[in-house]
Amino acid sequence: MGAVYYKNKDYDNAIKFYNEAIENFLLFDPQYEDEKIYGLNTTQESLALIEIEKGNFDNAENLYNLALSRKDDNIGKMYSNRLFVELYILSNKLSLANEYYNKVKLSFESKGKDNRPEFGLYFGEANLIFGNYYKDKLNFNLAYEYYTKTQEIYSELKIDSGLKQVNYEIADLLITNNRYNEAEDLILSSVDYSNSRNSEKISFFKLLEKIYSITNQDDLLIASKDSIIAYNENPIQLEIQNEFNLLENLILVSDKQNELNLSKSRSSLIILVSIFSLVSLLLLILFLRNNIELQRQKNYKLKYEKSLIKNELKLKRRELFSKINFITQRNEHINNIRDKISKNGNDPSNIKNLENEIKHLNTSNKTYEEFDKMFSQVYPKFYKNLNSKYKLSKTDIRLASYIKMNHNNHEISRISGISMRTVESQRYRLSKKLNLDKGVDLNLFILNL
């Protein structure tokens, strides 16, 4: 129960149940001394995690030291040292973090004939912690060095879940350094469609989405987005099922605890408490089953509404591209009229026809307004973000909207009815108004808005 409340960030109730667990472990008979020590260590290390969440790093350090003082095996001590590495990284005590990292490293290197995978697992985790730290500090070289150490260890030990995690971090690092092909190859080699959890697949596809967006690979970008939607269909249902499975495991633990209490005392009071606990658990199971059904219905409704919104957005996008095509044709028509005027401007027989064509084009001036309206429906926050941060003209806003739709300079020239040189001048002025540093790509900046 403490683990359930901790997962749901209800720390007060989590602390309450963890303290009750400690009291129960202290009641164990001497014949269960190993179970008693393991239970006390696990519980106090869980309490330390709560103190870390609250920012009470000194309290967490004291709890970790209590657990470490009971451990006499190399694996247990190595695990505690790994916990200290994470604690001191979070509390910005880098020298202490390095000290305990070296202890973990020494345990790994001096394991001797003991080939238990925990040695590699904990050393890999320590490297991963430092890799994440230096990645956050933008020291990509050191981060890459620690990540590759973890990658080598997990590959050798065939720790698939850990390997996927570190490959994800390395791929993200490669993307930050513009090494898109290497990142894509690493991601595609890491995704095991049969064994990966949906959350892992979604994380990797989001990295692919970032790569394809930057490199303008529209077909692959759409495929990545569709994969993310597909693997994210039932997150609420999966979360509820995981909670239910965890509760079932906790029920088994509670039953075991009841057996130990019954062996201690056969009093009627203990029997009555056990019966009451079982009834409470059964009621809780019934409540959860009813809640799962309710969530299933809500999930179906959300899926249906999501489908409607998705179809509506597709329709708006088609209409938006239709307006773009219409504007392009209109500008080409205007250019044709100009050519006719320059060639046959003095011919009275053509003047009437040209007047009718120009009159027809004037009736389509609202097309630009309709384009702006549809663009706002497809990208509702785009104009608002630009206008709140920068002082832009209508020409600047329209150019930004064309770039947002991933049109190149040639296509923008056709849509706007202006020369390529004019488009380049407008892009230069827009970059200045957006205060972009030299070397910052205007297209990438606007696509990420």
Side-chain angles (χ1 to χ4, degrees):
M1 293 302 296
V4 171
Y5 282 116
Y6 172 78
K7 187 174 182 181
N8 288 282
K9 299 186 182 302
D10 186 348
Y11 298 134
D12 290 337
N13 278 317
I15 292 172
K16 173 185 173 183
F17 281 98
Y18 281 143
N19 285 331
E20 289 182 5
I22 290 174
E23 293 175 1
N24 287 323
F25 286 127
L26 291 173
L27 296 174
F28 277 26
D29 289 335
Q31 59 181 322
Y32 300 113
E33 188 65 15
D34 291 341
E35 290 83 354
K36 172 184 175 180
I37 292 175
Y38 178 82
L40 289 172
N41 289 345
T42 303
T43 306
Q44 288 179 336
E45 286 167 351
S46 298
L47 286 169
L49 293 177
I50 295 177
E51 295 298 329
I52 290 173
E53 291 289 339
K54 293 182 175 182
N56 302 325
F57 299 112
D58 291 338
N59 293 345
E61 184 179 25
N62 291 334
L63 288 165
Y64 281 158
N65 278 318
L66 280 175
L68 178 59
S69 66
R70 300 190 194 95
K71 296 179 180 179
D72 56 2
D73 61 302
N74 292 333
I75 289 294
K77 291 180 179 179
M78 186 180 185
Y79 175 72
S80 285
N81 290 331
R82 204 283 294 166
L83 292 176
F84 278 113
V85 171
E86 186 173 26
L87 171 65
Y88 292 133
I89 283 290
L90 292 173
S91 56
N92 291 318
K93 297 179 179 178
L94 189 59
S95 59
L96 286 172
N98 276 301
E99 177 183 341
Y100 279 88
Y101 170 85
N102 288 329
K103 291 182 179 181
V104 175
K105 181 180 179 182
L106 181 62
S107 296
F108 174 75
E109 292 175 346
S110 60
K111 61 185 177 181
K113 296 181 179 180
D114 191 348
N115 291 321
R116 291 174 61 182
E118 288 90 341
F119 284 102
L121 176 64
Y122 298 152
F123 185 50
E125 289 175 348
N127 282 288
L128 187 60
I129 291 168
F130 265 90
N132 291 336
Y133 171 79
Y134 284 114
K135 180 183 175 184
D136 291 339
K137 297 296 183 182
L138 304 182
N139 191 334
F140 298 130
N141 290 332
L142 272 178
Y144 188 78
E145 180 180 339
Y146 280 103
Y147 283 151
T148 51
K149 286 181 182 178
T150 306
Q151 188 183 51
E152 292 172 2
I153 295 169
Y154 286 170
S155 297
E156 181 179 351
L157 296 175
K158 294 182 172 54
I159 304 175
D160 293 335
S161 58
L163 186 59
K164 290 172 187 175
Q165 181 184 1
V166 72
N167 283 350
Y168 172 89
E169 299 294 346
I170 293 175
D172 191 36
L173 202 63
L174 291 172
I175 293 172
T176 305
N177 286 274
N178 302 325
R179 295 161 65 178
Y180 305 123
N181 291 334
E182 295 177 56
E184 182 183 22
D185 292 339
L186 181 59
I187 293 168
L188 294 176
S189 66
S190 300
V191 178
D192 185 344
Y193 294 97
S194 61
N195 294 326
S196 298
R197 297 191 303 271
N198 281 3
S199 59
E200 293 174 340
K201 295 174 185 175
I202 290 170
S203 297
F204 280 114
F205 277 115
K206 284 184 177 179
L207 287 182
L208 288 174
E209 181 185 17
K210 186 187 295 186
I211 293 172
Y212 298 144
S213 175
I214 295 171
T215 57
N216 297 322
Q217 301 182 64
D218 294 340
D219 292 341
L220 294 174
L221 175 61
I222 293 172
S224 298
K225 289 180 178 291
D226 290 341
S227 297
I228 292 171
I229 293 172
Y231 287 120
N232 200 29
E233 285 296 330
N234 295 310
I236 297 175
Q237 180 65 31
L238 290 174
E239 182 177 352
I240 293 172
Q241 187 61 46
N242 289 336
E243 291 288 350
F244 187 77
N245 291 337
L246 178 59
L247 184 60
E248 287 184 329
N249 291 332
L250 289 171
I251 291 172
L252 294 175
V253 173
S254 179
D255 289 341
K256 182 66 175 178
Q257 181 181 351
N258 287 336
E259 292 177 7
L260 293 172
N261 289 335
L262 286 172
S263 67
K264 186 78 175 180
S265 173
R266 295 288 180 178
S267 67
S268 59
L269 179 61
I270 295 296
I271 296 175
L272 182 62
V273 170
S274 300
I275 294 173
F276 178 78
S277 298
L278 289 173
V279 171
S280 298
L281 289 171
L282 288 173
L283 290 175
L284 185 58
I285 291 172
L286 291 175
F287 170 77
L288 285 175
R289 285 180 177 172
N290 291 333
N291 191 48
I292 288 172
E293 181 60 30
L294 178 62
Q295 292 297 334
R296 185 183 292 113
Q297 294 175 3
K298 287 183 179 179
N299 191 56
Y300 176 80
K301 183 179 179 181
L302 287 173
K303 183 178 180 181
Y304 176 72
E305 292 175 351
K306 179 181 176 182
S307 176
L308 291 178
I309 293 172
K310 184 178 178 181
N311 291 334
E312 183 179 355
L313 185 59
K314 286 182 179 178
L315 178 61
K316 291 295 183 182
R317 284 176 176 163
R318 286 198 294 267
E319 292 176 353
L320 186 59
F321 280 100
S322 296
K323 289 297 179 183
I324 285 290
N325 291 332
F326 179 81
I327 291 171
T328 303
Q329 294 172 4
R330 176 181 181 275
N331 290 333
E332 291 176 349
H333 196 176
I334 290 174
N335 290 331
N336 290 334
I337 292 174
R338 288 175 181 166
D339 292 340
K340 290 180 182 179
I341 291 173
S342 63
K343 293 179 181 178
N344 304 304
N346 297 323
D347 187 350
S349 62
N350 289 328
I351 291 176
K352 187 65 177 177
N353 292 332
L354 292 174
E355 288 177 349
N356 290 333
E357 290 185 35
I358 293 172
K359 182 178 180 181
H360 174 72
L361 289 172
N362 286 335
T363 61
S364 63
N365 283 334
K366 293 183 178 179
T367 304
Y368 282 110
E369 297 177 3
E370 294 174 358
F371 166 79
D372 290 336
K373 183 177 179 181
M374 287 184 180
F375 185 89
S376 297
Q377 292 174 346
V378 177
Y379 304 100
K381 296 182 180 179
F382 183 74
Y383 285 158
K384 183 178 180 181
N385 288 340
L386 279 179
N387 290 325
S388 65
K389 298 177 182 177
Y390 312 100
K391 189 174 182 180
L392 303 178
S393 65
K394 287 186 178 180
T395 300
D396 296 327
I397 293 292
R398 189 153 289 150
L399 175 61
S401 66
Y402 294 151
I403 295 174
K404 181 68 175 177
M405 294 178 65
N406 213 19
H407 288 297
N408 57 37
N409 287 0
H410 177 69
E411 292 169 339
I412 294 173
S413 172
R414 292 183 61 217
I415 296 168
S416 304
I418 58 178
S419 67
M420 287 282 289
R421 187 167 184 175
T422 303
V423 173
E424 292 171 355
S425 297
Q426 290 179 356
R427 286 176 60 91
Y428 176 77
R429 288 195 295 272
L430 179 57
S431 296
K432 288 293 186 182
K433 291 182 179 181
L434 294 177
N435 301 320
L436 298 184
D437 295 333
K438 186 176 180 181
V440 176
D441 185 69
L442 176 62
N443 284 32
L444 182 58
F445 177 81
I446 291 178
L447 286 172
N448 287 330
L449 281 177

